[in-house]
Amino acid sequence: MVHVEMTVPTTPEQVFDVLADGWLFSAWVVGATHIRDVDDDWPAIGAQLHYSAGVWPFTVDDITQVVSVDPPHMIELEAKLRPLGSAWIRLELVETPLSETEIRMYEHSKNGVGALIPTMVQELLLVPRNKESLSRLADIAVGKARRAAARAEVGSV
């Protein structure tokens, strides 16, 4: 199983707010290039987002589905990318004593061709990708938190 983590200067609620907006998925997930649709009840269990992955015009359309969720602490997903198979992904958001959030991301190939790739090779491919994904997720969460704080400050004047 591939595991990466990052600590960000914002709350689990603010990070989960980004995860809960399926339309932002392609903004932080490396490889997802276009969101075609998001179920109205995202991120409820069973809800799906429909995305494209790859580089245009060589894209593949598929879905990611919520398997388990505990807002604002955790979301577990099954990301499908046929014909390669699917992956299990879990994001945990843990508040630190300094009121920051440690984001922990776990991923492994669930089935298909990806499941045949040795774990060591999966790590070589997925660790850099997932670190970049967490960096993008963190930037969006922190940016949204700053903007909300600035709006609140202007509103209190």
Side-chain angles (χ1 to χ4, degrees):
M1 177 180 313
V2 175
H3 169 236
V4 297
E5 56 187 59
M6 173 180 288
T7 302
V8 298
T10 190
T11 66
E13 291 82 6
Q14 290 164 322
V15 176
F16 196 86
D17 184 51
V18 177
L19 298 174
D21 185 345
W23 291 102
L24 292 176
F25 190 77
S26 64
W28 66 270
V29 175
V30 173
T33 56
H34 177 75
I35 303 302
R36 299 184 328 277
D37 194 20
V38 178
D39 288 357
D40 290 338
D41 60 345
W42 180 272
I45 294 172
Q48 298 178 346
L49 60 82
H50 306 260
Y51 68 96
S52 300
V55 179
W56 186 87
F58 306 105
T59 60
V60 177
D61 293 344
D62 225 317
I63 62 166
T64 290
Q65 182 171 9
V66 178
V67 175
S68 180
V69 64
D70 178 21
H73 308 290
M74 182 275 300
I75 189 166
E76 195 172 299
L77 307 167
E78 181 178 4
K80 297 181 181 177
L81 190 60
R82 291 168 275 216
L84 298 176
S86 67
W88 170 87
I89 301 155
R90 181 181 177 103
L91 290 132
E92 297 174 353
L93 310 175
V94 180
E95 188 165 2
T96 71
L98 300 175
S99 296
E100 296 180 320
T101 301
E102 184 176 292
I103 308 171
R104 301 173 186 162
M105 183 177 186
Y106 304 90
E107 179 173 357
H108 71 83
S109 294
K110 187 173 173 182
N111 56 43
V113 176
L116 302 175
I117 299 171
T119 302
M120 184 183 297
V121 176
Q122 286 187 44
E123 287 179 0
L124 287 172
L125 298 171
L126 292 176
V127 166
R129 173 190 174 266
N130 290 355
K131 282 184 177 180
E132 176 62 21
S133 290
L134 288 190
S135 177
R136 293 176 184 189
L137 174 61
D139 289 344
I140 294 167
V142 169
K144 287 181 70 158
R146 282 186 193 147
R147 191 165 75 190
R151 273 189 255 148
E153 190 174 299
V154 169
S156 67
V157 174

